[in-house]
Structure formats: structure tokens, C-alpha cells
Amino acid sequence: MDSGKVVYRRKPDIPVIRSHQHIQEVSAKSLELSKVIRLLEDPLTTNLKERHIFVLKKLLTRSENGFLLRELTGVAKIFNICAEKVKDHPEYVPILCEALRICRLPFLKEKASDELNYAQDVTEFFCHMGCLMRVSEAEVRQQLVESVKSFYSCVAPKQLLDGLQLTSPGYRLQLLERSDLAQTLILSMAALENQPAIKLQLLQTLKILSSSSDMNCALMLSAQGAKTICLHMNELDPSGQVLFHSSEILWNLLERCSKDEVTAQLSSIECVVSLKEAFFHQLLNGFRQSDFQLRNDLLVITTLIAENPNSPLIESLFAKQLMDFVTFPELKSHNPSVRNLKLSYNNEDLKMKKLLLNLLVLMSRDFAALQLYKEERVMLALLTLIKPPAASPERRPGLRHWSSSQQEELQLQALAVLATIAPLMVDDYMSFQGNACLLLLLDWCVGQDAYFGQGHSFHATGGRGSKKAQMRHCVRVLRSVTSLRDRSVNQDLCDQGIISQLLGILMQMEASPDEEDAITLEIMSDIQLILSALCETDMHRKELFGSEGVEMTVHFLKKGSDKFYSGLGHNKLILSTVDCVWSCIVGCYTTEDYFLAKDGAFLLLDLLSSSPRCVHGIVLATLLELCDNTNTLSHILSWRDNSGQTAPRLLLQLWREEEEELGISRSRHGEIADPKRPTLSPYQQDDIQLSFPASMASAAVLEMIENLRAKIYSIFCKLGFQDLPGLKTKDYVTLSIVKRYLDFKVGEVWDEISRELSVDGVRPITPDEEALSSICKIAEDTARTVAKEQSSILEQLEKEEISEEELMYTEIKSHWKQRELTAKSWDHYVSKTSNYEILKEVKAQREKYTESSRNKPKHEDAALHPAEHFIGQVMSVEKTDAEGPAGVKLTLARAPIKAAAEEQVETTARAPEYFSTVSVKD
């Protein structure tokens, strides 16, 4: 073909083929993307391969410093055209590779607003870039992966033309997150089975994408990224890095995305099998530190999968194979894989062992897993691990073994696992003498040897330098197995003397000079809960609890609730102590009487008066049960708090506080405000239009369970409602409601029955309807009667207040009268001393009085005792049955005033004094 002639008919806007010399003169600046695209797509020029390649090279040469933002749409279209042509013409491969290499450079903008205006074009460009993974040529895929990876590094062009600027550093990364490039790269994993080098580079790129952005992780996860990575991580890998990068990607997905969604993808049987193969390959063949770390990472991922109840760990036989390694090296195994396993007993092996123990807890939710534990003797391995270390351990020389600190961590981890598994495997626990092992460990914990806890692990918190961590977890295991209320387990513990042992430990810990901390308080609370579980239903065990147990509970009750909100656990200790009284003392008359003799009832009432509201329920319930002992009532009635308040008054105060908390309508003085709803709370009124099934308790019944009023009413039924000490008028008003509480509740229940029948559209027969109406009316009449009784109590109170007010005014008048007489006497005295004429008149009157009195003397010495004058002073006021002032009886004291004849003239050196003349008796 003659290259100097025109071969095709020229069409507008289509470059014509000219001579080779003319082609070289074509300026790169004159190339327009639209014309290049038309050249590549036009049917008349679609086969001009050399022309295409020449023009594309010129285009890439012009863009060697980066693509313009406004040209990215055209470049993406050229990518797609070239990708289609590569199938038949490999000559386009270098063009694609060079274009992808230029994509590593930052995009160029002509104006500052280009970044915003062309954001959508850039996002679509990234999408088209990802689609180039469909090209089977390794060079193209490699360049694409490296280009994406370069987005996270700084690659600057050599030089820029005038008027052009680089886009901001994070511009591409922000728009990359909005594209589906990450999804496309994940989906292309399946096409790289025969290209392991590119697959490794792709995994490295995906690791960068997943570690840098939550949105990228979400996009990868939406494309089943976790499942895809897991399924391809065991493929042929000469470099040995695929598994490492795959696990890193999975970790990034777990950390940055929804853990449940990731584990759901990994819970397929194929993924679990893939994980199993990868784990055992690393376990049996790994020898480097990085191999051990990768092995443990895979085990952690397996642990997270085990949290999913639908995970097929049992079905895939992964769990069964793991059990052999869980019990190694504590138990011997005939499995060749286990026998050939050589542990280094380093920190990574310790982590693996702890992860395997933790896996037991997560899998224990599955009944099939418990069967597997039984077959593989997991319980025996755990009980072996918790044995206390020997004082002088005999270890064969030349054999590797766990260090003392590692053994401590495994011991505590095994105890934590037992706390969960032992209640689920009671038969195995008893067959392997689990109680005996725990009690021996408990004895070792309280022993005085030279053991020094390292306290390095999570479970060893607070146990450094002591055995406190071991005791804490040992007591936890005992609490978990006794809480089952299994007769054989609890009986076995009691036969081995656990009650006296625990009481001794409690008092020993309490007598310790160490300062109380959260762990010590937790241990004491758990011990009390264990004692409660053992003694609750057995009278003989309550007798074994005996006086020593009563002394213990009294000691802790005396501490009170001052530290209830300390945050260390005093609140739990108070509640467990009261529960211990309820379960271990109440019901056995010998321990009850001893408890009462030690002022136990007084201590419970002290706790009731000083503790927060959340404690009142259990304290009242314990007091109510204790009231079955007739000796308790006298203790309750004789109790007084620091302010002199009695127990009945305290109970009535709690009743009022409870009604206020429930929002029950009462008047200012505590009277019934609504006779139709005397004890109904607003919460019950909300359920008026509801109908409850027969198997479900109604609101009126549930209300009695949920608050204190039923307990207070029951205690008053034991104490009686008459002759209660220390009550005031307000208390009597409340007591009238308490007395009829049961009648009110019965009326509420019948009222609920009537409403439910109405809601369900059921009309009772006439006699039943009349009976319902009568019962409801009787309840309302009862409330009105109580309201009248309350009104009469308040009226009597008002009369008493008026009478007291009258007495007070009478006393005030008498005091004023006394002051007037005193003032008058003083004036008289002053007038005598200041006016001689008045003094003579007084003297004359006195002499006259003296003469008149001598005429009829009754005794010989009558003249020697002249008359005296007195001033009255009110000493007491009493009320009689008479109405008004006549009903007031006054008791007066007399203060004598000396007569003028008895006054002697003092020397001028001594002035007369008031108090020498008038004296008043107090």
C-alpha cells in the first residue's frame, strides 16, 4: 500500500493518513481526545492499528506529566477500547501499561474549581481503571495494581507546563473511596490463580486499602471480601507471603467493619476448612517467630468465628482436631500430629494455649461441643492445670516446660474456663473429683508459704505477690457449681467441710490488716453467696452454719451502709450478707434465737433506716421471714434509732415514700384522695384497656411483687395494728390505709376482672354481674370509710392543737402578770428608799397592822412572825375536762416580799439591793 496517498475518503473531523514525514510534524498539542476516540471507534478506521498506536503514543507523550481532570472521561473511554482490542492485538498492551504508569502521577487541574467540577469524572475513572483487571495480560494487571498502590505514596512529575497545577494530596484517595475500585479488585482475586506474583501484589494493595479507610473496608465486605480472601489464602504461594497478607486483610476488616458481618461471611463451611488447613500448616510446619504469630492470628480469627452460634466448627471437624491440642501436654494423646508437635514453651506458645482455653468457653454454648469435651477428657485436663504448684517441683532435666509465671497464667485461665464449663458438665466434674481439687486449691490459697504471684495476666489482676487471684477464681468456680442447686454436688461439698472452711476464710480475711480492695470484697461476697446456696433448703446445714456463721453475719451487718457507694463492692457485700441471713439463719430456731440475742433484728432495722432504697426490699423480706419467730416481735417493737424513731413509724415512713415513688394520689395530710382508686398507681391505670391471658399475672398482682407495700403490710400483720409505740397523727392516717391494704387489692383485682370482661366483649350473667357490682361497691365504700376515719383523726388533731394553743396563751398571760407584779414591787421599793414621807406612811401602816394582829394571837410567838406578802409564778399547767378557761389548772409558786417592819437600816457603806428585798422561786 502506498503510504503517500489517501486510502480512505476523508470525513470531517477524522485525521487523514498522510506521508510519514508529515505525520512527524503533527504537534502533540493539536491532538484532541474526541478525535482520537473517533479514530479508534469509527468503522472506517477501526483496523488502522499502526495509526492507532502512533496517535496513542503521541497522546501519552503529551500527558507524561499527568492527565488533566477534564480529560479523564476520554482517557477512561480509551482504556476500555484498548482493553477490548488487546484480546486480538497484543500490541496495545504497552499502551495500556504506559497509560497506567502515568496514572501514578497526581492529576492536573487548570483551575482551582476543577477538583469540585470533575469529582464525578474522577470517580468514574477509577471504576474504569478497576475494570482493566479483566485483561488477562500480566503486565497490565501488574501496572494497574502498582498504580493503585502508588496513590498512597507521593509521586511528583518532573516538570509542569505553565498554567497547570497538581491536585491536592488527598484528592484521589477521597474519590477512590467513592468508587467501586476496591470491590473490583476483590472480585478479580478468582482470576489470578495462575499468576501468583500478581496475586501477592494485589493482596498487598488490598491490605493498604483496607488499613487506610473504613469505607474501603465496607466496599470490600459488600463484595464478599472476607470470604473471598479466606478461600484463596491457601493457594500455591512460592513466596510464602499470601497467607500473611490475607490474615492482615481479614484483621483490618474485623477492626473497621461490623464484626458480625465479617464472621458471618467466614462462617461458611468452605471458609472454616480453609482456616483449618492454614492453622494446622502453621502449627506443624512453622518454626519462625513470624510463623508463630501468624498461627495465633488465625486462631484468634477462629475464636471470633466461634462466637457465631451458626459456625460449622463441629461439622468441619476443626473443633475435634483442636481438642487434641487443648489437652496437650497435660494429657497424653495417640494422635500422631500431637505426638510429633514440639512446643517451644515461649510466649507465642503460651498465647496459643490461652486462646485454645478461651475457645472452650465460646464453643460451650453448643451441646455437640460439650459432648466433644467429654470424649476428649477436657475436664480432666482443666483440673490438672489448676493444681497448686508443688513447693519443690520435680522436673526432669533436659525437658522443656512452662515457667512458673506461665504456669500461673494457665492456672488462672483454666479456673476462669471451669467457672463456665463445670456447671455444664456436672457429671464429668464429679467423676474427676472436681470438688476435692477446688478445696485443696482453696487450702493452698490460705496457706502461709513463700509463693509469690507474678500478676502478669488479665486474670491475675490484684494478685501480684499473693495468692489472691487464685482464691478469687477458685471461689468463682465454687459459686458457679453451687448455684446449680445440684444435690449431689452440694452434699459432696458439705461432707468435705466446706461450710466451716469458708467461714474460717471469711473471718481470716476480715481480720487481715490489709486494706480492703475490690477483689477482697468480691471474694467475701462470693463466699457468702456460696453459703447461702448450700444452706437455703437444708436444715442440717443451717445448724452447721451455727453460732460461728451468726457471728460472721452480725459482724458484717455492724459495718452498715456508709460505704455503699464506694465503688469497691461494699454494696454487693451488704446484699450478700442480708441474703446469708435469709438463707442460712432464718428457718432454724437455734440460729434465729442466737441471731436475735446478738441484736440481729436491731442491726437489720438499722440497715433499713440508713440504706438506699434498692436494699429495702431484701431487708424487709428477711425481717418478714424472721417474724415467724415470736421472739422477733418484741425486738422490733423495742428498737429505736438515733433520733428515737420506732420501727412502726419507720415502716410507715417507708410506705409513704413508696406511694410517692409510685405516684399514688394522696391529699396534703396523706388522706385518700380518690376512693375509687385508693391504692392504684398511674402505671396500673395505663393498663386499663388491656386484657391479660390466664397464664399471666395482672397489673394489680405484679404491683404487689414489685414494691414494698405488700411486705410492710405483712410485717404489720405480725406486729398488729393497735398499741404501736411512737406513732404520730400522720402515722395513724397512714396506718389506716395499711390496715385495709389487702381489701383494697382484692377490690382492684375484681375491678380488673370486670374491665377485662368488658374489653373482651363478654357480658356476665345477671347474678354474676350483680355480684361484681356489689364487690366493686364494697371496695369503694371501704375506701370512703377509711377516708372518714382519717378525717376524724385529723379533726381530733386539730382540737388538740387548739387546746395546746389555749394553754400556751394562758401561760403567756401568767408570765406577763408576774412581770407586772415584779415591776410594781420594785417601784414600791424604790419609792420607799427615795421618799421619806412614803417610808413613814409604810411604817405607820405596818405598825397599825402589827397592833391589830396582836389583839388575837393564836400562839405565844405569833407576834414574832409578821405577815408576809407573796408574788405568784406559774410552775405548771394542766388541762381538765371542763371547757374553756375553767378547764385549765395552774400551779403557782409564791415569792415572799419582806414587810417594812422587818427592814433594818443598813450602814451607809452598803446600798440596798433589789434581790435582797424580793426573791422569786423558779
Side-chain angles (χ1 to χ4, degrees):
M1 181 177 63
D2 187 4
S3 59
K5 297 182 179 179
V6 178
V7 178
Y8 294 102
R9 181 168 58 88
R10 182 176 179 181
K11 297 186 67 176
D13 297 330
I14 298 179
V16 296
I17 301 176
R18 302 183 184 275
S19 63
H20 182 70
Q21 181 178 0
H22 191 271
I23 290 175
Q24 293 179 349
E25 296 176 354
V26 177
S27 174
K29 294 183 179 179
S30 63
L31 290 175
E32 296 182 5
L33 286 180
S34 59
K35 295 180 179 180
V36 175
I37 293 171
R38 191 170 300 170
L39 173 67
L40 295 174
E41 290 182 336
D42 194 278
L44 300 178
T45 60
T46 188
N47 295 324
L48 299 180
K49 182 175 59 177
E50 294 179 359
R51 173 65 173 165
H52 295 172
I53 293 174
F54 176 79
V55 172
L56 291 173
K57 286 182 178 180
K58 285 292 185 180
L59 177 63
L60 296 177
T61 301
R62 187 198 70 177
S63 303
E64 62 181 354
N65 292 325
F67 291 120
L68 288 170
L69 290 177
R70 62 180 177 82
E71 293 181 344
L72 288 180
T73 301
V75 174
K77 197 166 188 179
I78 292 174
F79 278 174
N80 290 331
I81 295 172
C82 292
E84 294 296 330
K85 291 182 177 293
V86 163
K87 299 177 183 178
D88 301 322
H89 305 285
E91 294 83 356
Y92 289 92
V93 171
I95 301 296
L96 285 175
C97 293
E98 180 64 19
L100 291 171
R101 187 193 63 79
I102 296 174
C103 289
R104 301 181 190 180
L105 302 173
F107 297 139
L108 303 178
K109 59 182 179 180
E110 298 171 322
K111 295 182 295 185
S113 60
D114 284 353
E115 290 188 3
L116 182 60
N117 295 335
Y118 295 104
Q120 184 62 31
D121 294 346
V122 177
T123 302
E124 295 176 358
F125 176 77
F126 287 142
C127 298
H128 289 294
M129 272 187 67
C131 293
L132 293 180
M133 288 298 292
R134 72 182 186 274
V135 179
S136 59
E137 298 296 331
E139 296 86 347
V140 177
R141 292 176 174 175
Q142 183 176 358
Q143 286 292 337
L144 173 59
V145 172
E146 291 180 354
S147 296
V148 177
K149 191 190 303 184
S150 69
F151 291 168
Y152 294 88
S153 60
C154 184
V155 180
K158 299 178 181 179
Q159 60 182 1
L160 288 176
L161 298 177
D162 294 339
L164 298 180
Q165 297 178 356
L166 299 179
T167 55
S168 56
Y171 180 69
R172 288 189 301 180
L173 301 183
Q174 293 177 3
L175 297 179
L176 176 64
E177 295 177 354
R178 301 182 184 179
S179 67
D180 59 358
L181 179 60
Q183 292 175 303
T184 307
L185 295 179
I186 282 289
L187 296 174
S188 65
M189 283 286 297
L192 301 177
E193 294 180 2
N194 299 325
Q195 296 174 342
I198 300 175
K199 177 183 176 183
L200 178 60
Q201 290 184 349
L202 177 59
L203 288 173
Q204 293 173 349
T205 303
L206 290 173
K207 184 176 72 171
I208 294 174
L209 288 172
S210 60
S211 63
S212 61
S213 170
D214 294 350
M215 193 172 294
N216 286 337
C217 290
L219 292 171
M220 294 167 63
L221 197 61
S222 64
Q224 297 292 310
K227 182 177 181 180
T228 302
I229 295 295
C230 186
L231 292 177
H232 291 88
M233 66 182 181
N234 290 322
E235 294 176 354
L236 182 63
D237 175 29
S239 65
Q241 294 294 312
V242 170
L243 184 58
F244 171 76
H245 291 297
S246 298
S247 67
E248 288 291 324
I249 294 171
L250 291 177
W251 266 113
N252 292 334
L253 294 177
L254 286 167
E255 291 176 353
R256 291 180 171 272
C257 294
S258 170
K259 186 177 70 173
D260 296 336
E261 190 174 351
V262 176
T263 53
Q265 290 188 17
L266 295 177
S267 296
S268 64
I269 188 71
E270 297 85 0
C271 290
V272 172
V273 171
S274 179
L275 274 174
K276 178 182 72 172
E277 294 174 356
F279 172 75
F280 285 114
H281 174 76
Q282 292 297 119
L283 176 64
L284 301 176
N285 301 319
F287 59 92
R288 296 171 299 182
Q289 182 75 7
S290 60
D291 295 333
F292 297 153
Q293 292 175 350
L294 179 57
R295 173 199 65 191
N296 292 345
D297 288 345
L298 294 173
L299 190 55
V300 173
I301 294 174
T302 304
T303 302
L304 296 175
I305 295 175
E307 295 180 1
N308 186 354
N310 300 321
S311 61
L313 292 177
I314 305 293
E315 294 82 349
S316 63
L317 301 181
F318 192 10
K320 182 174 179 59
Q321 294 178 12
L322 284 175
M323 290 305 105
D324 292 330
F325 297 95
V326 170
T327 58
F328 178 81
E330 290 74 32
L331 302 180
K332 294 182 179 180
S333 175
H334 301 290
N335 189 334
S337 299
V338 179
R339 297 179 65 180
N340 296 330
L341 177 64
K342 302 296 182 183
L343 288 178
S344 303
Y345 294 95
N346 54 19
N347 287 333
E348 294 301 328
D349 287 340
L350 176 65
K351 291 179 182 178
M352 182 188 72
K353 183 70 175 178
K354 293 170 68 176
L355 286 170
L356 289 172
L357 292 176
N358 184 52
L359 190 62
L360 294 175
V361 177
L362 297 175
M363 294 176 57
S364 62
R365 306 167 187 170
D366 191 348
F367 180 76
L370 298 178
Q371 293 295 113
L372 187 61
Y373 297 168
K374 187 173 183 178
E375 296 172 3
E376 300 296 333
R377 299 185 301 167
V378 170
M379 182 63 68
L380 179 59
L382 292 174
L383 293 175
T384 304
L385 276 174
I386 69 170
K387 288 182 178 179
S392 300
E394 299 179 358
R395 290 172 175 172
R396 296 172 57 185
L399 294 179
R400 293 181 175 181
H401 50 76
W402 301 113
S403 65
S404 59
S405 62
Q406 290 175 333
Q407 185 66 38
E408 177 190 354
E409 291 189 42
L410 291 177
Q411 181 189 35
L412 295 173
Q413 183 83 14
L415 284 170
V417 174
L418 271 175
T420 302
I421 293 182
L424 303 175
M425 302 177 64
V426 177
D427 294 340
D428 280 21
Y429 173 80
M430 294 298 295
S431 63
F432 292 121
Q433 300 297 319
N435 286 335
C437 292
L438 291 173
L439 294 180
L440 287 174
L441 178 62
L442 202 57
D443 280 335
W444 173 80
C445 290
V446 297
Q448 302 296 327
D449 56 18
Y451 179 81
F452 186 87
Q454 300 296 321
H456 290 160
S457 65
F458 167 77
H459 296 288
T461 302
R464 184 170 179 81
S466 66
K467 307 171 187 175
K468 191 178 292 185
Q470 284 84 352
M471 179 182 288
R472 177 191 191 187
H473 289 282
C474 182
V475 171
R476 279 186 181 181
V477 179
L478 287 172
R479 188 192 68 184
S480 66
V481 295
T482 54
S483 62
L484 295 173
R485 306 299 197 269
D486 185 272
R487 181 175 300 177
S488 60
V489 175
N490 292 355
Q491 187 61 46
D492 181 60
L493 286 170
C494 293
D495 292 343
Q496 297 186 51
I498 188 175
I499 294 179
S500 60
Q501 184 179 1
L502 292 179
L503 288 174
I505 292 173
L506 261 179
M507 299 314 295
Q508 179 181 346
M509 294 179 67
E510 184 62 21
S512 174
D514 297 337
E515 185 178 355
E516 288 184 342
D517 56 3
I519 296 176
T520 302
L521 293 172
E522 179 188 340
I523 293 173
M524 292 192 292
S525 300
D526 287 344
I527 289 177
Q528 290 181 343
L529 292 175
I530 293 170
L531 291 171
S532 299
L534 292 173
C535 301
E536 184 176 6
T537 57
D538 193 284
M539 188 63 64
H540 176 63
R541 295 172 193 167
K542 292 185 178 183
E543 294 174 353
L544 292 176
F545 187 79
S547 59
E548 185 180 2
V550 171
E551 295 281 355
M552 180 271 296
T553 55
V554 168
H555 173 78
F556 283 103
L557 285 175
K558 286 181 179 179
K559 290 187 172 185
S561 59
D562 295 339
K563 299 181 180 180
F564 191 84
Y565 293 109
S566 66
L568 296 177
H570 289 90
N571 53 345
K572 297 179 182 178
L573 184 60
I574 291 173
L575 292 172
S576 62
T577 303
V578 178
D579 184 62
C580 203
V581 174
W582 193 352
S583 302
C584 303
I585 296 177
V586 174
C588 180
Y589 288 119
T590 56
T591 54
E592 282 183 1
D593 291 340
Y594 190 71
F595 180 72
L596 293 174
K598 289 293 181 178
D599 295 334
F602 289 173
L603 294 173
L604 288 175
L605 288 168
D606 290 338
L607 183 62
L608 183 64
S609 64
S610 61
S611 62
R613 184 175 180 271
C614 57
V615 185
H616 293 167
I618 185 173
V619 176
L620 285 173
T622 306
L623 278 172
L624 178 59
E625 294 291 332
L626 199 60
C627 283
D628 290 338
N629 188 325
T630 54
N631 297 327
T632 307
L633 303 181
S634 60
H635 285 75
I636 294 178
L637 292 174
S638 61
W639 174 84
R640 300 292 187 276
D641 65 359
N642 295 331
S643 61
Q645 182 177 225
T646 62
R649 187 178 177 189
L650 172 62
L651 294 174
L652 293 172
Q653 177 63 30
L654 293 177
W655 178 285
R656 289 192 290 269
E657 292 176 358
E658 189 71 16
E659 288 193 333
E660 184 178 358
E661 182 72 20
L662 294 173
I664 297 175
S665 177
R666 291 285 182 261
S667 67
R668 184 169 61 91
H669 297 289
E671 300 172 274
I672 295 176
D674 186 0
K676 294 183 178 180
R677 297 182 178 87
T679 57
L680 197 66
S681 65
Y683 308 104
Q684 294 174 254
Q685 298 178 24
D686 295 339
D687 297 332
I688 287 179
Q689 300 301 325
L690 299 179
S691 177
F692 298 94
S695 59
M696 180 178 176
S698 66
V701 178
L702 289 176
E703 186 268 342
M704 297 179 65
I705 303 172
E706 294 171 351
N707 63 69
L708 307 179
R709 293 191 295 176
K711 298 180 181 66
I712 296 174
Y713 168 76
S714 301
I715 292 176
F716 271 109
C717 289
K718 299 285 187 179
L719 299 176
F721 296 93
Q722 302 294 331
D723 301 328
L724 296 174
L727 299 187
K728 296 184 177 180
T729 304
K730 187 175 183 179
D731 300 319
Y732 283 113
V733 171
T734 306
L735 185 62
S736 62
I737 300 176
V738 177
K739 187 176 180 180
R740 296 301 185 95
Y741 175 71
L742 185 59
D743 296 334
F744 293 150
K745 296 308 295 184
V746 171
E748 285 181 16
V749 172
W750 281 108
D751 188 55
E752 282 184 348
I753 294 173
S754 177
R755 288 200 308 267
E756 287 186 20
L757 291 174
S758 177
V759 171
D760 294 338
V762 177
R763 181 189 176 278
I765 60 176
T766 302
D768 290 345
E769 187 174 4
E770 293 176 353
L772 280 175
S773 301
S774 299
I775 292 172
C776 295
K777 189 176 185 302
I778 289 173
E780 185 176 345
D781 291 342
T782 302
R784 296 186 186 277
T785 302
V786 172
K788 290 180 180 179
E789 181 182 345
Q790 292 175 329
S791 299
S792 65
I793 293 173
L794 293 174
E795 289 176 1
Q796 183 66 26
L797 173 63
E798 186 177 357
K799 290 180 180 179
E800 292 177 358
E801 290 177 348
I802 293 174
S803 177
E804 291 176 359
E805 185 178 356
E806 291 176 351
L807 290 174
M808 182 182 67
Y809 280 120
T810 304
E811 184 177 356
I812 292 173
K813 289 172 64 177
S814 66
H815 281 297
W816 276 102
K817 185 66 175 178
Q818 180 180 356
R819 292 179 64 181
E820 290 176 0
L821 293 174
T822 304
K824 186 176 180 180
S825 175
W826 172 251
D827 293 341
H828 182 64
Y829 172 77
V830 171
S831 63
K832 289 190 299 181
T833 57
S834 60
N835 192 330
Y836 180 72
E837 295 298 328
I838 295 177
L839 181 61
K840 289 197 302 180
E841 291 179 2
V842 171
K843 184 177 179 180
Q845 290 177 359
R846 190 175 297 170
E847 290 176 352
K848 183 179 179 180
Y849 176 76
T850 302
E851 290 296 331
S852 64
S853 63
R854 284 177 182 174
N855 294 332
K856 298 178 181 180
K858 294 182 180 179
H859 303 284
E860 295 179 357
D861 58 345
L864 301 177
H865 298 279
E868 295 182 352
H869 299 277
F870 298 92
I871 298 175
Q873 180 181 5
V874 177
M875 298 299 295
S876 64
V877 180
E878 297 180 6
K879 181 181 178 183
T880 62
D881 295 334
E883 295 293 334
V888 180
K889 180 180 179 181
L890 299 179
T891 302
L892 302 178
R894 299 189 300 171
I897 303 175
K898 291 183 179 180
E902 295 177 335
E903 296 177 358
Q904 298 179 0
V905 180
E906 299 289 338
T907 62
T908 58
R910 180 179 178 184
E913 296 180 358
Y914 171 72
F915 290 107
S916 65
T917 306
V918 180
S919 62
V920 180
K921 281 188 178 181
D922 290 333

